[in-house]
Structures are given as structure tokens and as C-alpha cells.
Amino acid sequence: MEDCIFCKIVAGEIPGEVVHATERTVAFRDLNPQAPTHVLVVPRRHFANAAELAAGDPEASAELLTTAAAVAADEGHDDYRLVFNTGAGVGQTVFHTHLHLLAGRPMTWPPG
Ligand code: 5GP
Ligand code: ZN
């Protein structure tokens, strides 16, 4: 999709620190990390959010989770948090589905 920053990272058109890639997903470090490990796992195909991905490409949807688990294991984390922000009202700023993987520090609940 034109003008989508994550489509451009997936395509290699702009730099991203890629830590893992599969047939359907790419995982790269967040530019503004909120934890020692903060990786974004995205589908290669463009969807606006998690629900649209699940409806449109269920295999990629599942692969986001297995990729996130693989990255957490690679980085030595048994404990980690996975987040999908859906909608500007809860802080979604990039409208290409992305799963946040956060790990490496204590976290509180409920989230802010
Ligand atoms: P959201 O707020 O939409 O859930 O998350 C978007 C995330 O993308 C933010 O954590 C932000 O730091 C990250 N981000 C925005 N632009 C870029 C970029 O160009 N490269 C990388 N690696 N991360 C980005
Ligand atoms: Zn996109």
C-alpha cells in the first residue's frame, strides 16, 4: 500500500532492524522502544488492524503469534507482553497491523 511505512519496511524500501522473518511475517525493532525488547511483528500483506488481518489472512494472523514467541525465545524471555492497539482512541498510530512484543522489564496491570 502506498505511503504505508510498514509496507516500505517489509519491502526493504526504508531501513528497519529486522530480527526475524517468515513466509508471511517480518519482525523488526520499534524505533522508540518502551522496553529492553520492543519488537513489532507485522504481516507482509497490508491490513489496517488485527481483526482485519484475522478475517483476511488467518494463517498470517497465527504466524504473528508464533513469530513473536520465537523472537521472545531468541532474546531469552520467558515472560513477555503482546499488544495490538486498534484505533486511534487507544493509541494506534500506524494503520498496518502490528503486534507489539514487549519484554525485559517489570510491567504493571492494568496498562495505561
Ligand atoms: P501503534 O502506536 O500504532 O500501536 O505503534 C506504532 C509503533 O511503530 C510505535 O511504537 C512507533 O514507535 C513505531 N514506529 C513508527 N514509525 C516507525 C518506523 O519508521 N520504524 C520503526 N521501526 N518503528 C516505527
Ligand atoms: Zn502497510
Side-chain angles (χ1 to χ4, degrees):
M1 190 183 175
E2 262 177 57
D3 293 331
C4 171
I5 193 110
F6 289 175
C7 281
K8 288 180 178 163
I9 291 174
V10 167
E13 290 168 8
I14 64 166
E17 195 182 339
V18 174
V19 296
H20 199 91
T22 68
E23 189 183 341
R24 298 179 185 83
T25 72
V26 178
F28 53 89
R29 294 199 192 282
D30 196 292
L31 206 55
N32 182 25
Q34 301 302 310
T37 291
H38 187 174
V39 167
L40 303 173
V41 189
V42 308
R44 291 181 182 275
R45 292 177 62 197
H46 182 95
F47 293 91
N49 58 47
E52 290 193 12
L53 172 67
D57 191 343
E59 286 180 318
S61 185
E63 209 163 290
L64 286 191
L65 298 176
T66 52
T67 298
V71 172
D74 283 351
E75 304 214 349
H77 301 297
D78 290 327
D79 300 344
Y80 54 88
R81 184 169 291 178
L82 301 178
V83 175
F84 286 112
N85 290 322
T86 300
V90 299
Q92 187 177 5
T93 58
V94 178
F95 290 84
H96 178 129
T97 314
H98 52 282
L99 177 58
H100 292 263
L101 163 62
L102 297 143
R105 65 164 171 81
M107 292 184 200
T108 58
W109 192 263

